[in-house]
Amino acid sequence: MSSEPVLDAAVLLEHPSGSTVRITRHGAQVMSWTDAAGRERLYLSRHTRSGADASIRGGVPVIFPQFGTGPLPKHGFVRTRDWSLVAHLPTRATFRIADDDVSRALWPHRWTVELHVELSDALVVRMHVRNTGDAQFAFTAALHNYFLVDDIASSAIRGLGGVAYHDKTVATIAGSTASDASELQRDAELVIAGETDRVYVGGPRSVSIEQAIDMSSTHVAADGFGDWVVWNPWRDAAAALGDMPPDDYRRFVCVEAGRVESPIVLAPGAEWTGAETMTVA
Ligand code: TA6
């Protein structure tokens, strides 16, 4: 465990407005985004694991080619690999990873994933997946954003009212599958007050975390993904994670742009792009 995770080695982007972004080559993971007022907008656990096979607890993990659990390692394998930095300018950077012997032993496909990160008035994260082989494949994906909040009790997620979701906590408790648990969010705002693990199927283009930091809100608009995931482990599940201080469940909420419900199918040579644009208001 490290108390000062891999920030030192990170790629730094700086915008004239004063906002900054730090990204590590490990997982091509955005780990910090400060706004023009100098306020951090992303959560990063000070107990995150680091090292060759670790997944970093916080920031923006890149999930590919499997969201959640299944035949592959949970949330796929690119979040635990080192990516190549292929471009780095003051306000943007591009990272790339491709199949290799290790990935093909798990998943026998040929592919590249590029992650473009660009800082302007917004933070834009764009994920391109290309099928470089001669057979089609299917995958799920997400940008697993950990948004920092001053206090989970006084922030709220707006935008998912009227959207159907699968409640993965019910699935866990009842021993049923997630697809058994279809619910509809009736309220315009979701205030997290206990363990929450939901996959919203479809939904709006943008969602906001109201009163996230200093009464300001964090907005995230997604293109190409289609689904949203909202996760907070709350007290007991956070303690069980082992890489998060006990009370930190109060300091973040994951609001993730994902393609979870219906996998993307890519023909040989085809490409898919999923993007998100994050702003402060
Ligand atoms: O995106 C929500 C989720 O799939 C939850 O079910 C929870 O397990 C979380 O991701 C974190 O997963 P991790 O493997 O990073 O501990």
Side-chain angles (χ1 to χ4, degrees):
M1 246 184 236
S2 150
S3 56
E4 256 325 305
V6 272
L7 270 174
D8 291 351
V11 170
L12 173 66
L13 307 184
E14 292 177 290
H15 188 260
S17 67
S19 65
T20 64
V21 168
R22 288 174 195 272
I23 315 140
T24 172
R25 286 182 48 233
H26 190 72
Q29 194 152 330
V30 174
M31 297 198 299
S32 165
W33 167 38
T34 64
D35 63 22
R39 301 169 299 198
E40 179 62 58
R41 310 301 304 194
L42 298 176
Y43 170 80
L44 177 64
S45 170
R46 67 179 193 275
H47 290 173
T48 190
R49 299 189 174 90
S50 56
D53 297 326
S55 52
I56 296 169
R57 179 70 66 196
V60 183
V62 179
I63 307 301
F64 170 88
Q66 173 191 284
F67 180 87
T69 52
L72 299 177
K74 186 179 175 194
H75 287 330
F77 41 71
V78 299
R79 68 172 174 164
T80 56
R81 302 290 301 275
D82 284 350
W83 296 44
S84 304
L85 175 64
V86 293
H88 182 195
L89 293 167
T91 58
R92 49 194 152 99
T94 301
F95 299 81
R96 182 182 297 142
I97 191 168
D99 63 282
D100 61 11
D101 290 347
V102 175
S103 74
R104 286 191 297 272
L106 294 164
W107 197 58
H109 299 292
R110 297 195 178 259
W111 49 272
T112 59
V113 182
E114 280 193 354
L115 194 82
H116 300 288
V117 182
E118 184 160 1
L119 192 55
S120 58
D121 294 338
L123 168 59
V124 178
V125 180
R126 202 174 289 120
M127 177 179 178
H128 296 286
V129 179
R130 176 178 284 277
N131 182 344
T132 55
D134 51 17
Q136 77 169 31
F137 60 71
F139 65 96
T140 50
L143 294 171
H144 195 307
N145 315 303
Y146 285 73
F147 290 114
L148 189 66
V149 294
D150 287 331
D151 182 0
I152 193 77
S154 48
S155 62
I157 299 160
R158 177 168 276 278
L160 294 167
V163 182
Y165 63 91
H166 298 306
D167 186 342
K168 289 168 68 184
T169 65
V170 171
T172 307
I173 293 161
S176 58
T177 63
S179 53
D180 293 332
S182 228
E183 310 275 354
L184 183 72
Q185 182 175 309
R186 296 185 193 283
D187 297 333
E189 287 196 338
L190 171 66
V191 177
I192 307 280
E195 185 181 358
T196 304
D197 194 353
R198 299 180 176 185
V199 176
Y200 288 84
V201 182
R205 181 169 173 260
S206 64
V207 173
S208 63
I209 299 95
E210 303 287 318
Q211 300 189 33
I213 304 290
D214 266 354
M215 304 298 280
S216 68
S217 304
T218 309
H219 292 247
V220 53
D223 292 293
F225 283 100
D227 303 324
W228 291 95
V229 179
V230 175
W231 178 62
N232 182 292
W234 211 247
R235 189 178 296 109
D236 293 348
L241 290 173
D243 60 357
M244 182 181 284
D247 289 332
D248 269 17
Y249 70 90
R250 305 198 67 90
R251 300 184 53 235
F252 77 91
V253 61
C254 286
V255 177
E256 312 163 32
R259 177 62 83 90
V260 176
E261 275 296 295
S262 48
I264 295 149
V265 179
L266 276 190
E271 187 174 294
W272 169 84
T273 299
E276 60 181 22
T277 302
M278 292 169 273
T279 49
V280 173

